[in-house]
Amino acid sequence: MKDSKSIIKLIMKLWVVVSLICLPIKAQEANYDESKVGTYTLPDALTTLNGQEVINKKQWEKVRRPEILKLFQDNEYGIIPNAKIKTSYRVLEEGEDALDGKAIRRQVEITFNGNGLTRKMLVLLYIPKGVKKCPVFVSPNFQGNATTTTDPAVIESQFSVFERAHQTSRWSYDRIISSGYAVATFHYYDVYFDQDDKINDTIYPLFGINSNSDLQDNTGKSIAAWAWGCSRVLDYLLTLKYIDKKRAIVLGHSRLGKAALWCGAQDQRFAMVISNDSGCSGAALSRRNYGETVAKINHDFPWWFCNKYQSYSQDVSSLPMDQHELLALIAPRLVYVASAQDDQWADPRGEFLSLQEASKVYALYGLETLQGSSFPSVNEPLWKGNCGYHMRTGIHDVTDYDWQSYIEFANKHLIP
Ligand code: GTR
C-alpha cells in the first residue's frame, strides 16, 4: 500500500517536471515581436449587446455587468451547477504561538457532501495576534499547505507530493502577518487535480458530473473549480469574528491567477482581487498575438476552460468578449495586475493594456483611470484610483516584492 502511494507520488512528480521542461519549448514557438502582434478591435466594455452606450453605474450594474459575466460563463470559464451541497467545518488544529509568536494558526477541514459523495479541503489559516478585525488574503497554493512554510505543525495536504517547506519563497507569511493581514491557503488539488480526465476526483461529482461526457458546452472545469474553492474558503472565514467581512482579498499566481480573477469577478464579497502573472486567459488580452495564445492554452490544457472555449482557438476575434472585460467585472473594487519582465509568455504589456482598458469602467464610479498612462518601467508600480499594476524584474513567480506591493496598495485603500 505504502509502495503504491510512493509510485503514485513519483509519477505525479515526473509529470510536473515534464510539464516544466516543456514550458520553454512551447514558449519558443510563440511570437515575442511587438510588430507582429497584429491589429485588433476590442469589444467595448461600455456598449451593451444591443448597442447601447453605458454612461452610468446603474446601467453598468443592471445591464452590462450581467451580460459580460454571462459571456465569460458561457464561452470561457464555464459554470458550476447550482445543485445544493452540504458543507461542514472541523478545526483539526489550532496553535497560539505560530510564526515566532506573531500569529494564531488554525487548520480547518471543510467537508462537502452532495450526491451521496464527500470531498474534503484543508485550509491553513494564520491570523495576526492581537488584531480585533483584520483583512484577509485567500490564496490557493500549488504544492500543498505544508510546502508553504517551515512551520512543523502544518498538516500535509491530502494530494501533496512535495516535501515540506518546498515552496516557502512564494509565501511572505512574516510580512503578511506583521502588516496586520490574515492569510488562508489550500492546495488546489483538493478541489480539482490539475490534469486531464480527472473530473471524477474533483468537486464536480458532488453536482452529478462524473466524466467529460457529462459536460455541457458551458460547464466549468478546473479554473471554475479553483475559483469556487476560494469562495468556499471565504464562506468559512466570514464565520470568524476576527475576520473583517469588508476586507477580503483573493490572490492567485499564474493558472491560479486566472482562477482568482474569475473568482473575484463573480464573488463580490472580495474587496480586492490580485492577478499575479496570470497571462493568457487571465489578465492578458486574448486578441494580442504575443506569448501564449488561446489556441496554445486550449491545446495544452483542455481541462482548464469550458468546452466552448475550444471553438475560439482558430479565431480569437470571434470571442464575444476579451480579458479587459473580466477585469472590468471587478469594478469598482480594488484590482491589482502584476507581471514579471522575464515572463513574456504571459504578455506583460497585454496585461497592462487590459487593465488600462478595464479602468474605463471605474470612471463610472468617479474613480481615476489608467487612460493616458504609458506602460510603466520595470519595478515602478503604477497605481491610479482602484487599479494597480507593476512589472517587476525576474521570472514567472510570486516574490516578496509582489507581496510587499500588494500589501502597500491594500494599506492605502483598506486600512483606515
Ligand atoms: C503555463 C501556462 C500558463 C500559466 C502557467 C502556470 O504552462 O501556459 O498559462 O498558467 O503554466 O500556471 O504556471
Side-chain angles (χ1 to χ4, degrees), residues 19-20 22-23 26 142 170 188 194 223 253-258 277-281 292 296-297 300-301 304-305 343 345-346 396:
S19 344
L20 289 175
C22 289
L23 187 60
K26 284 183 298 176
F142 280 89
R170 287 192 175 176
Y188 76 144
D194 197 359
I223 302 276
H253 169 61
S254 202
R255 64 200 70 188
L256 294 176
K258 307 178 209 300
D277 306 356
S278 65
C280 179
S281 309
E292 189 173 26
K296 288 194 177 74
I297 212 167
D300 296 342
F301 305 102
W304 283 4
F305 306 96
D343 184 20
W345 180 243
H396 185 69

Side-chain angles (χ1 to χ4, degrees), residues 295-358:
K296 288 194 177 74
I297 212 167
N298 272 330
H299 173 269
D300 296 342
F301 305 102
W303 65 95
W304 283 4
F305 306 96
C306 70
N307 285 341
K308 176 77 180 172
Y309 201 44
Q310 293 283 344
S311 69
Y312 300 105
S313 288
Q314 296 322 315
D315 181 14
V316 278
S317 69
S318 64
L319 272 166
M321 72 291 170
D322 208 312
Q323 299 304 118
H324 62 295
E325 291 172 295
L326 176 69
L327 301 179
L329 290 173
I330 299 161
R333 293 166 293 147
L334 302 170
V335 58
Y336 202 117
V337 173
S339 314
Q341 190 179 27
D342 299 337
D343 184 20
Q344 293 297 315
W345 180 243
D347 187 12
R349 186 181 291 269
E351 296 191 308
F352 172 71
L353 293 173
S354 177
L355 181 63
Q356 185 169 50
E357 187 67 23

